[in-house]
Amino acid sequence: MNYAGVKDIGVAGKRVLVRVDFNVPLDKGQVTDDLRLRAALRTINYLRGARARVILLSHLGRPDGQVKPEFSLRPVQAALAALLDAPVAFVPDCVGSIVEQAVAELEESQVLLLENLRFHPEEEKNNPEFAALLARLGDVYVNDAFGCAHRAHASTQALPQCMPVVAAGFLMEKELHFLGQSLQEPQRPFTAVLGGAKISGKIDVIQNLFDRVDNILIGGGMMYTFLKAQGYEIGASILEKDRVEMSQEILRQAQKRQVKLELPVDTLVAESLDATTVKICPVTEIPAGWFGVDIGPATIEHYGSIIRHSRTLLWNGPMGIFEKKQFASGTFAMAEAAAEMTAAGGISIIGGGDSAAAVLQSGQADRITHISTGGGASLEFLEGKKLPGVEALKRPW
Ligand code: ADP
Ligand code: MG
């Protein structure tokens, strides 16, 4: 691909504007989950080691273009300093004279965190004048915020367009490698596991994968619409009535393109979504009024075996309502199978915010090749869409 990585550009002594995704959860002025901070450490540490002056840009939450103290990035200052084991300076705005002064005082290898970009409405409007004000702060631009790359905002699109030197950070490169190249030229068999709540949320992912995968394993809420399309009764399970026809079309397409598309043979059902007990039943015998909440043990066995025999695995969408532990066994079993195929030399890639959370909860995260930090961005990428933040890094060299 025609973009540079951070190692390909000169940064020594330069003022490097780094777009990071520090959209972290806060509670009473404390960062409650620092996963996104840790994900950016490699790029920040590299730049410090290379004697760059590091200027960090991020948004946090949805302040809607106004200064709202509860969305301040100030709590990130201390959390990041602790992770870097180095001081982090903070300035309570992201453009203007106080920021320019703080940047001018910044020495080599020092880190400056700017206030929430979205305190200015121009950020989300992709405003070029605002981008020009940001551009004055740096010599070089690095984007390491894959999770924001699907947004055409000033810091992700207009800004890199007006910078002379742009590059992808390590996290951005890793995401593009695993969600991009490794799925374009997969080692086979290549299996996609697709679940989540709805077919409508995944249809573009399915379409985009059809030409590349060998197997598609269906689970999650969408399985019941597929089952309905096969003429089965699905009780009170989630159903997208307007997608029954679409699911039939997907089954026909799979056959035509010689993709093995598997549907569950059994399911866990519950009398209500608050029930603490479940019942196993074949998909042909879902009782009236009961809710399908997970895939069943025979399906776990069958899907697990296909996964363990695969060389490349892409998983998007939990197999059941994993947020409740009584409905999480199918999802956790898939995580386990993914970990096993990875240990055997395969490549496992997880996309989607809820899927990533599920794999973390399963305790298998360390045994997976790549868990995307991207959420919505990873989905759009898997749908085959061009991400504005990625496109803006490309240069015709
Ligand atoms: P991701 O964020 O990984 O792309 P989705 O947002 O598409 O995943 O789907 C995740 C949601 O799907 C979870 O909140 C989960 O509870 C829900 N889900 C999974 N199985 C079912 C089911 N059988 N019925 C209703 N919702 C389900
Ligand atoms: Mg989701």
Side-chain angles (χ1 to χ4, degrees), residues 330-350:
T331 301
F332 289 180
M334 293 303 101
E336 169 106 45
E340 282 169 26
M341 70 80 75
T342 313
I347 292 178
S348 54
I349 296 155
I350 317 283

Side-chain angles (χ1 to χ4, degrees), residues 314-329:
L314 171 68
W315 180 10
N316 173 238
M319 297 290 97
I321 308 176
F322 75 99
E323 293 91 342
K324 298 193 173 145
K325 68 172 189 302
Q326 63 274 31
F327 309 151
S329 58

